[in-house]
């Protein structure tokens, strides 16, 4: 029944079968080439894609380094907080999850959305922290509704704790999530989005050392993002940041803060060891609580810090520039001595004012000081004496010596964003103002008014340079770093400049400053029995007399600033510094605050009980506003 | 019925290659379906056992198809065809539905998928039809009749819907027609005629998901999380295997389910991942050997019926292999076309082994009368 093949048929069939065989062989060869391209030629690319598929690297945040004071007291430490985070790849509907989360925790849904949207470009397996420092109630609420909240996880992470709250807030700075702008910078290379970094103060300046090294948990996940297992051998534990010992003395720092608190004034204070520039205390007020940043600052707090007219976030010690007032007079006196213009015995008659270049400049003391030599001129803060010396020096020589003593230049303290003050010169006026300097302008400069402006930290360097005889020490905060095994002392940075002031000339100025405190001068309130405290008060006008009348109705605080620069003891000083009271009215008020600092310092040095925090009354502040009745006194520095 | 001397004419090489491919398939199914509970330990997935049972049944089917003279099957081909069509109709009426398609007839613990037997049934009927025709398949009317025979089960299967399996009937028809002397010019005309038909089908007859599959294949990056996902993951799976592969059960794409239905449609991708390019070459070599060797059997066949039967069966087989392997590398749109002998699936394995029984049968009986 079946049809056997005829020879013709067979040939035809054989031909067609051969053709079929060739076609199949060619197809297979093409397939082999295709696989070769993927598996051999492009293997690397696909291997990486496969790894991205199933390997997940989760950062384990490292605790930041602990900060100690010079005696080993803990200033800044860590504690664990709970964060609530979202892993997008574990949820199909991010919107629904956020809605439920907002309802469960009472957090604003729009804010959650914004956080997610800001970080939408990150890989979907990376947790996005939605609620930092969750309250126990929020944490429990989330745990209870776990099944309605796919992708929401709780994380226990180390966070910063500042036991002193606002104590030295500007010095420590604060921490927050790294910003996108920072990620672009070389300083933050290797930092992953979401990592906590220092945003101000020491936290920012030493972020590299403090940050530690993030650990990693490397794990295998399946296609729906579920964790299959952790690759222990490839994971790494986080390494805590370096423990750092600061030059700060917690007792001095406390004394500064207590003094300011009792005074009720804002301002700044910097206290140094004049021998090497170690910072013993550093404050700027008003302050903020860095703890409120540590767990993610809430919007309301952030907004209020930013709109506050008193600018609590500004570090006045580094960034505020103010007229130095009479505290500038030592620089003028020393310039005169060193330039050979005057001797300590050079005397000037003060009759309550003097004429220069056709204009009458008043002394702060109506009726005048009589005939005064250098020591008395500093002690009594005689304006006419320094008008005269300044006029003889000319602005450029004043500029030269003020700069050598640290004014008008950066201190180069190891804190970020320092601003620079100004001591004018003919060169400055020519380049910056494109105008000629008039000799008449020098008169105001000689008593620290006019264009002269300084930062409190540069004033502390000034005090230290006067104290140590010409070495412009670099203020610094880091004393030692623990490298995990042992303490490694940090060498003090070299002075910014050094000038040999002859001891007898220096002594003449120091005698004057001693007299300010101990000889019935304006700084008598800083006197400490048994210790030769030297100092100088300064009262700096905020606005010219003419301007004051015009602005009187604006309601702005235009009261004078009060300065007190000091060092002690007179011979071989071990402490130097400055207290600046913003709108503190009078230099002597600053001396009252400095008294508590010095009393604490010497009590500690002598092994005596340290004085209790002063009360407001203890400071005996002078609230008399010389301008209160609109009476315009002389264009001159006071006291 | 079975003469002892026929035993010596069994093509042991072909049979060996077929069983070797089946073995590789079971190994890969074992690898991709291995169950690792979180508590530790692990065991083979149930699919391995199902496939082993199917292999046993398949070997029996192969032996039956080998021992009974293929001419006997051919004589009853119309009846077998009728039975097949009845089963396909039954599936549409009372079949069990899984994953949105009605393809199975439950028999005890097993599910029978009649569509998998369509290729063998059609090959027998067409070989009979063209083989008994003295003219061969030289004119259009033969082609039309053969086409109608093919179209009946094809449409029934496509209705399930199971376009992938339905399409595999076309190469069977073309294979037989081609060997039966179909003029290539006619084939070209048919192909040209199919083009507008295809466009029409694309526009109106295809379901949304089918159209989407084709679109995403053309541009998988357009929707990498959605429909383009499988194409991209197939390439990643294959490409990440490299030259030597990640090792047995060491794959990540298949093991962690980044590539869906790895034990089924994408078993060859997993082979490429775990055994590398070398493993791919071995498997491709075996498949190529099986196909060329079968075509050799067609050449040796003593009658046209035998030659056409082998040609039809092996054309369908070759089409499935080439398409599935291309798809496994992400180079063809994802279609439900499984890899014969290796993919998980009992009915497919049984039907394929039965088909090879017939091929061995034709070669073995080349000297008998």
């Amino acid at each position: 029944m079946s049809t056997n093949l005829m020879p013709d048929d067979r040939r035809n069939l054989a031909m067609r079968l051969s053709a079929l065989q060739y076609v199949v062989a060619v197809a297979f060869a093409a397939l082999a080439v295709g696989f070769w391209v993927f598996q051999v030629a492009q293997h690397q690319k696909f291997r990486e894609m496969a790894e991205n598929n199933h390997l997940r690297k989760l950062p384990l945040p490292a605790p930041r380094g602990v900060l100690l004071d010079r005696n080993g007291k803990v200033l800044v430490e860590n504690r664990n907080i709970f964060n609530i985070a979202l892993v997008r790849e574990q949820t199909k509907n991010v919107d629904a999850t956020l809605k439920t989360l907002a309802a469960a925790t009472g957090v604003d849904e729009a804010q959650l959305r914004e956080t997610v949207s800001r970080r939408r470009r990150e890989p979907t397996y990376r947790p996005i922290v939605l609620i930092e420092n969750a309250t126990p109630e929020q944490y429990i609420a989330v745990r209870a509704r776990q099944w309605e909240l796919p992708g929401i996880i709780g994380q226990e992470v180390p966070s910063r704790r500042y036991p002193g709250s606002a104590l030295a807030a500007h010095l420590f700075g604060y921490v927050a999530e790294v910003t996108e702008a920072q990620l672009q910078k070389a300083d933050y290379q290797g930092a992953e989005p979401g990592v906590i970094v220092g945003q101000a103060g020491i936290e920012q300046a030493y972020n590299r050392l403090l940050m530690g090294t993030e650990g990693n948990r490397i794990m295998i996940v399946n296609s729906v993002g579920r964790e299959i297992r952790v690759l222990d051998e490839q994971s790494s534990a986080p390494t805590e940041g370096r423990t750092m010992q600061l030059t700060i003395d917690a007792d001095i720092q406390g004394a500064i803060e207590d003094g300011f608190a009792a005074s009720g004034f804002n301002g700044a204070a910097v206290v140094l060891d004049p021998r090497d520039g170690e910072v013993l205390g550093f404050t700027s007020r008003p302050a903020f609580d860095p703890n409120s940043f540590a767990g993610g600052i809430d919007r309301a707090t952030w907004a209020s810090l930013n709109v506050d007219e008193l600018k609590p976030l500004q570090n006045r010690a580094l960034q505020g520039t103010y007229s130095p007032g009479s505290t500038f007079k030592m620089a003028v006196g020393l310039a005169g001595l060193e330039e050979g213009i005057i001797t300590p015995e050079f005397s000037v008659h003060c009759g309550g004012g003097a004429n220069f270049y056709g204009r009458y400049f008043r002394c702060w003391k109506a009726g005048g000081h009589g005939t005064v030599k250098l020591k008395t001129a500093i002690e009594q803060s005689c304006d006419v004496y320094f008008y005269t010396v300044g006029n003889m020096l000319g602005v450029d020589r004043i500029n030269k010596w003020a700069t050598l003593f640290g004014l008008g230049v950066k201190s180069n303290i190891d804190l970020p964003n320092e601003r620079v003050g100004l001591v004018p010169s003919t060169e400055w006026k020519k380049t910056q103002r494109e105008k000629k300097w008039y000799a008449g302008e020098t008169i105001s400069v000689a008593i620290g008014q006019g264009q002269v402006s300084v930062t409190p930290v540069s004033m502390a360097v000034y005090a230290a340079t006067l104290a140590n005889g010409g070495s412009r020490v670099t203020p610094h905060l880091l004393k030692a770093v623990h490298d995990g095994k042992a303490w490694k002392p940090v060498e003090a940075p070299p002075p910014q400049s050094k000038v040999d002031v002859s001891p007898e000339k220096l002594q003449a100025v120091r005698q004057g400053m001693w007299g300010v405190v101990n000889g019935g001068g304006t700084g008598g309130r800083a006197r400490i029995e048994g210790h030769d405290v030297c100092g100088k008060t300064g009262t700096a006008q905020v606005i010219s007399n003419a301007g004051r009348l015009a602005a009187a109705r604006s309601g702005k605080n235009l009261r004078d600033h009060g300065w007190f620069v000091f060092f002690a003891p007179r011979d071989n000083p071990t402490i130097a510094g400055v207290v600046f009271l913003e709108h503190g009215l009078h230099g002597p008020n600053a001396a009252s605050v400095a008294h508590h600092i010095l009393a604490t310092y010497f009590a500690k040095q002598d092994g005596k009980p340290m004085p209790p925090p002063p009360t407001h009354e203890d400071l005996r502040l002078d609230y008399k506003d010389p301008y209160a009745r609109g009476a315009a006194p002389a264009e001159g520095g006071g006291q | 019925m079975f003469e002892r001397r026929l035993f010596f004419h069994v093509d042991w090489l072909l049979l060996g290659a077929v069983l070797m491919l089946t073995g590789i398939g079971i190994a890969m199914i074992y690898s991709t379906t291995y169950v690792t509970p979180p508590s530790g330990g692990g065991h083979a997935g149930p699919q391995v056992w199902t496939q082993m049972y199917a292999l046993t049944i398949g070997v029996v089917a192969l032996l039956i198809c080998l021992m009974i003279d293929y001419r006997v099957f051919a004589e009853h081909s119309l009846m077998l065809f009728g039975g097949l069509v009845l089963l396909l109709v039954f599936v549409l009426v009372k079949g069990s539905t899984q994953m949105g398609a009605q393809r199975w007839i439950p028999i005890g613990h097993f599910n029978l998928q009649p569509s998998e037997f369509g290729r063998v049934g059609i090959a027998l009927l067409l070989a009979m039809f063209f083989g008994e025709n003295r003219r061969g398949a030289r004119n259009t009317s033969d082609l039309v009749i053969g086409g109608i025979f093919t179209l009946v089960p094809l449409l029934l299967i496509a209705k399930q819907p199971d376009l992938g399996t339905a399409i595999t009937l076309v190469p069977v028809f073309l294979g037989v027609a081609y060997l039966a002397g179909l003029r290539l010019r006619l084939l070209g005309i048919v192909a040209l005629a199919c083009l507008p038909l295809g466009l029409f089908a694309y526009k109106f007859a295809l379901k949304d998901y089918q159209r989407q599959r084709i679109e995403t294949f053309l541009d998988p990056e357009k929707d990498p999380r959605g429909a383009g996902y499988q194409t991209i993951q197939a390439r990643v799976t294959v490409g990440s295997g490299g030259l030597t592969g990640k090792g047995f059960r060491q794959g990540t794409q298949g093991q962690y389910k980044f590539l869906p239905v790895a034990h089924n449609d994408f078993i060859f991708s997993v082979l490429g991942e775990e055994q590398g390019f070398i493993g791919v070459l071995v498997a491709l070599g075996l498949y190529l050997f099986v196909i060329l060797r079968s075509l050799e059997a067609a050449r040796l066949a003593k009658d046209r019926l035998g030659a056409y039967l082998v040609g039809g069966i092996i054309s369908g087989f070759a089409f499935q292999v080439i398409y599935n392997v291309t798809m496994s590398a992400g180079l063809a749109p994802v279609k439900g076309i499984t890899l014969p002998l290796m993919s998980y699936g009992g009915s497919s394995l049984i039907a394929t082994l039965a088909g090879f029984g017939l091929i061995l049968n034709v070669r073995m009986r080349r000297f008998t009368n």
Side-chain angles (χ1 to χ4, degrees):
Chain A
M1 53 150 233
S2 80
T3 321
N4 284 348
L5 284 157
M6 300 293 111
D8 245 16
D9 281 346
R10 191 170 281 284
R11 235 190 342 270
N12 196 355
L13 185 66
M15 210 182 66
R16 292 199 168 211
L17 281 169
S18 296
L20 213 52
Q21 282 176 324
Y22 282 120
V23 168
V24 169
V26 166
F28 271 70
L31 282 177
V33 170
F35 276 82
W36 184 86
V37 169
F38 284 162
Q39 296 198 282
V40 183
Q42 297 183 11
H43 169 55
Q44 196 60 32
K45 173 180 119 187
F46 288 117
R47 204 194 61 183
E48 277 165 25
M49 286 172 81
E51 274 171 13
N52 288 342
N53 267 346
H54 75 275
L55 289 183
R56 290 285 180 272
K57 192 168 115 178
L58 279 192
L60 300 174
R64 288 175 74 82
V66 168
L67 297 179
L68 307 175
D69 91 333
R70 60 191 299 121
N71 302 313
K73 191 178 171 199
V74 173
L75 295 175
V76 181
E77 59 190 356
N78 299 300
R79 69 187 163 131
N80 279 355
I81 58 166
F82 283 103
N83 286 346
I84 294 170
L86 167 73
V87 181
R88 279 166 299 160
E89 77 171 0
Q90 289 174 8
T91 173
K92 283 211 172 72
N93 189 341
V94 171
D95 278 351
T97 302
L98 292 183
K99 204 181 174 77
T100 316
L101 181 68
T105 59
V107 176
D108 180 30
E109 192 186 332
Q111 194 182 329
L112 298 177
R113 261 180 229 290
E114 192 207 294
T115 309
V116 173
S117 133
R118 188 153 37 86
R119 297 180 51 187
R120 65 185 177 280
R121 288 204 183 82
E122 289 171 30
T124 53
Y125 61 82
R126 189 185 285 276
I128 296 176
V129 175
L130 294 176
I131 304 173
E132 270 189 296
N133 198 11
T135 62
E137 290 77 19
Q138 288 174 325
Y139 197 71
I140 290 164
V142 167
R143 289 298 298 272
R145 302 179 70 173
Q146 229 176 28
W147 303 112
E148 299 164 61
L149 291 166
I152 295 292
I153 57 165
Q155 303 174 304
E156 192 178 1
V157 294
S159 168
R160 228 29 175 166
R161 196 172 100 85
Y162 304 87
S165 292
L167 180 112
H170 296 88
L171 176 74
F172 300 139
Y174 55 90
V175 295
E177 246 179 46
V178 68
T179 63
E180 286 194 19
Q182 284 169 331
L183 284 171
Q184 311 298 323
K185 291 188 191 153
D187 280 0
Y188 296 89
Q189 216 167 29
E192 306 268 1
V195 76
I196 298 294
V197 298
Q199 299 287 11
I202 290 176
E203 296 277 24
Q204 182 185 353
Y206 290 107
N207 185 55
R208 272 262 162 236
L209 287 172
L210 289 171
M211 200 163 78
T213 315
E214 277 195 338
N216 277 315
R217 201 157 69 130
I218 296 183
M219 57 195 191
I220 292 181
V221 296
N222 67 8
S223 57
V224 288
R226 184 166 299 144
E227 186 178 326
I228 300 214
R229 67 193 163 92
V230 176
L231 296 174
D232 286 320
E233 62 277 15
Q234 288 173 45
S235 302
S236 58
T239 315
E240 191 177 339
R242 299 287 169 81
T243 302
M244 300 198 334
Q245 185 172 41
L246 303 182
T247 59
I248 296 292
D249 185 319
D251 295 318
I252 302 288
Q253 185 68 38
I256 298 175
E257 309 275 355
D258 289 342
F260 266 97
S263 81
F265 289 118
N266 293 320
V270 179
V271 179
L272 306 176
D273 182 332
R275 293 164 297 185
D276 53 11
E278 285 185 352
V279 179
L280 301 176
F282 182 108
T283 202
S284 171
R285 292 171 74 97
F288 54 89
D289 185 355
N291 286 308
S292 58
F293 288 86
I297 191 161
D298 61 275
R299 286 176 164 199
T301 311
W302 175 246
S304 77
L305 283 173
N306 274 295
V307 300
D308 191 333
E309 276 184 13
L310 293 174
K311 296 193 167 69
L313 288 176
Q314 185 197 26
N315 187 343
R316 286 163 164 73
L318 287 186
Q319 293 156 354
T321 55
Y322 313 93
S323 289
S326 300
T327 56
F328 193 65
K329 287 169 179 167
M330 285 83 79
V332 177
L334 266 170
L337 291 169
E338 284 293 312
E339 294 286 343
I341 302 278
I342 60 164
T343 65
E345 301 309 314
F346 175 80
S347 58
V348 168
H349 178 79
C350 169
N355 262 305
F356 295 95
Y357 305 102
R359 200 184 137 194
Y360 188 69
F361 289 84
R362 280 175 211 271
C363 183
W364 67 272
K365 190 170 176 182
H369 291 94
T371 303
V372 288
K373 54 181 188 175
L374 180 62
K375 177 180 176 294
T376 328
I378 294 174
E379 205 175 287
Q380 301 295 320
S381 203
C382 176
D383 289 338
V384 172
Y385 186 92
F386 290 97
Y387 291 148
T388 310
V389 176
N391 186 39
M392 289 153 77
L393 276 166
V395 74
D396 286 335
R397 284 190 286 196
I398 294 175
N399 170 277
K400 172 187 164 191
W401 286 92
T403 304
L404 282 172
F405 277 77
L407 299 177
V409 282
K410 278 194 180 175
S411 71
N412 286 327
I413 190 174
D414 44 354
L415 287 176
N417 305 324
E418 181 181 3
R419 285 184 59 190
V420 64
L422 171 72
V423 179
S425 66
T426 51
E427 177 70 19
W428 164 80
K429 191 149 184 204
K430 208 168 87 191
T431 56
Q432 301 297 312
R433 296 282 187 274
E434 293 175 348
K435 278 187 188 137
K436 189 177 168 296
W437 180 268
Y438 292 100
E441 296 175 90
T442 310
I443 311 304
S444 295
V445 168
I447 60 155
Q449 295 287 163
Q451 292 103 330
V452 187
S453 71
V454 295
T455 58
V457 71
S458 70
M459 284 294 259
V461 173
Y462 174 56
T465 312
L466 287 169
N468 65 32
S471 174
R472 181 149 66 92
V473 290
T474 309
H476 60 278
L477 291 155
L478 192 52
K479 199 167 173 61
V481 175
H482 200 274
D483 69 358
K485 295 184 205 81
W487 283 102
K488 291 268 151 51
V490 174
E491 230 175 277
Q496 298 290 311
S497 67
K498 209 170 155 65
V499 57
D500 283 320
V501 179
S502 63
E504 63 275 15
K505 290 173 183 167
L506 187 67
Q507 202 58 18
V509 172
R510 286 181 174 175
Q511 284 296 350
M513 290 177 74
W514 184 85
V516 168
V517 178
N518 301 284
T522 53
R525 283 189 235 159
R527 192 161 175 261
I528 307 270
E529 202 65 52
H531 295 282
D532 287 323
V533 175
C534 299
K536 180 76 190 80
T537 58
T539 304
Q541 288 185 308
V542 171
I543 189 165
S544 73
N545 293 332
R548 175 182 295 275
L549 288 171
R553 270 179 239 102
S554 74
K556 276 195 188 152
N557 193 345
L558 298 168
R559 293 183 298 175
D560 293 347
H561 299 316
W563 286 99
F564 187 67
V565 295
F566 60 91
F567 60 84
R570 180 186 57 197
D571 307 311
N572 301 316
T574 56
I575 181 171
V578 64
V579 172
F580 168 74
L581 299 184
E582 191 174 74
H583 306 302
L585 290 157
H586 304 287
N589 288 344
S592 292
V593 173
H595 174 267
H596 180 61
I597 299 168
L598 288 160
T600 305
Y601 176 77
F602 284 115
K604 188 170 180 181
Q605 193 187 62
D606 298 344
K608 290 185 196 149
M610 282 181 268
T615 63
H616 187 66
E617 286 69 34
D618 288 342
L619 298 181
R620 293 177 291 138
L621 299 175
D622 180 358
Y623 283 101
K624 207 158 69 251
D625 186 344
Y627 308 98
R629 281 163 301 177
E635 183 82 29
Q639 305 168 348
Chain B
M1 189 162 66
F2 188 78
E3 297 170 56
R4 177 156 291 192
R5 63 186 178 89
L6 287 177
F7 183 77
F8 297 102
H9 297 302
V10 170
D11 187 352
W12 296 109
L13 275 177
L14 179 60
L15 184 60
V18 165
L19 292 178
M20 217 188 294
L21 282 167
T22 312
I24 292 171
I26 289 175
M28 292 330 294
I29 291 166
Y30 175 84
S31 174
T32 50
T33 59
Y34 197 81
V35 182
T36 334
S39 49
H43 56 85
Q47 294 91 337
V48 175
W49 300 112
T50 311
Q51 192 75 350
M52 299 272 244
Y53 292 135
L55 175 61
T56 314
I57 298 167
V59 168
V60 171
L62 183 142
L63 289 176
I64 292 170
C65 290
L66 177 66
M67 287 192 290
I68 301 169
D69 194 319
Y70 62 90
R71 281 167 290 202
V72 177
F73 286 108
E75 277 165 25
H76 299 97
S77 62
L78 201 60
M79 201 184 73
L80 289 170
F81 179 78
L84 180 74
V85 169
L86 279 180
L87 278 177
L88 288 172
V89 171
F90 182 78
V91 163
L92 281 181
V93 179
K94 291 201 93 128
S96 84
T97 308
Q98 286 169 34
M99 296 177 287
Q102 202 165 351
R103 297 177 186 168
W104 292 273
I105 299 172
I107 305 172
H109 289 296
F110 298 103
N111 284 318
L112 183 74
Q113 192 181 348
S115 56
E116 290 290 351
F117 296 90
R119 283 183 301 280
V120 178
I122 280 290
L124 268 173
L125 184 69
L126 291 176
M128 183 69 186
F129 175 68
F130 287 117
E132 291 301 291
N133 187 330
R134 291 219 167 263
R135 290 190 313 276
R138 301 255 156 84
N139 64 19
T140 321
S141 63
D142 294 332
L143 200 63
V144 170
I145 294 168
I148 288 168
F149 279 142
T150 313
L151 220 51
V152 170
L154 190 146
L155 290 176
L156 285 171
I157 296 168
K159 190 89 180 63
Q160 295 179 354
D162 187 357
L163 206 61
T165 308
I167 283 294
T168 60
L169 297 185
V170 175
V172 177
F173 166 68
L174 288 178
V176 175
Y178 171 71
L179 290 184
L182 169 74
R183 263 169 295 178
L184 289 175
R185 198 189 309 153
L186 200 59
L187 200 65
I189 291 164
V190 170
L192 276 177
C194 283
L195 204 66
L197 203 70
L199 285 175
F200 179 84
Y202 179 81
K203 233 178 149 126
F204 300 105
L206 290 190
K207 296 211 186 284
D208 271 349
Y209 81 94
Q210 294 166 330
R211 245 198 309 272
Q212 202 183 16
R213 275 180 175 181
I214 294 169
E215 276 165 18
T216 47
F217 167 71
L218 296 174
D219 184 11
E221 303 294 336
K222 197 169 73 183
D223 186 14
R225 282 264 143 211
Y229 179 80
Q230 293 185 358
T231 304
I232 294 174
Q233 292 307 328
R235 287 181 199 175
V236 171
T237 307
V238 166
S240 64
L243 186 64
T244 52
K246 297 177 187 170
F248 187 62
R249 286 220 301 117
Q250 301 301 307
T252 57
Q253 289 285 106
Q255 299 289 339
Y256 304 133
K257 313 269 179 284
F258 290 101
L259 188 63
V261 288
H263 61 283
N264 199 336
D265 292 10
F266 287 102
I267 192 120
F268 201 78
S269 307
V270 176
L271 176 87
E273 183 187 26
E274 297 191 350
Q275 306 302 326
F277 186 56
I278 293 172
V280 167
L281 283 188
V282 169
L284 280 182
L286 282 170
Y287 274 115
L288 183 62
F289 173 79
V290 166
I291 294 165
L292 296 184
R293 187 83 176 174
S294 300
L295 289 172
E296 211 52 46
R299 196 195 302 274
L300 296 173
K302 71 169 180 211
D303 52 13
R304 296 206 305 215
L305 167 65
Y308 300 166
L309 178 60
V310 172
I313 291 170
I314 208 62
S315 294
F317 180 83
F319 171 80
Q320 274 187 291
V321 170
I322 291 168
Y323 192 91
N324 178 278
V325 170
T326 312
M327 182 187 85
S328 299
L331 292 171
V334 177
K335 288 248 168 280
I337 294 178
T338 57
L339 183 60
L341 296 179
M342 276 179 66
S343 280
Y344 169 73
S347 303
S348 166
L349 183 60
I350 294 166
T352 308
L353 288 176
F356 278 105
L358 290 174
I359 291 171
L360 292 167
N361 191 340
V362 170
R363 187 183 172 107
M364 182 177 77
R365 291 198 160 78
R366 64 188 184 270
F367 302 122
T368 58
N369 282 307

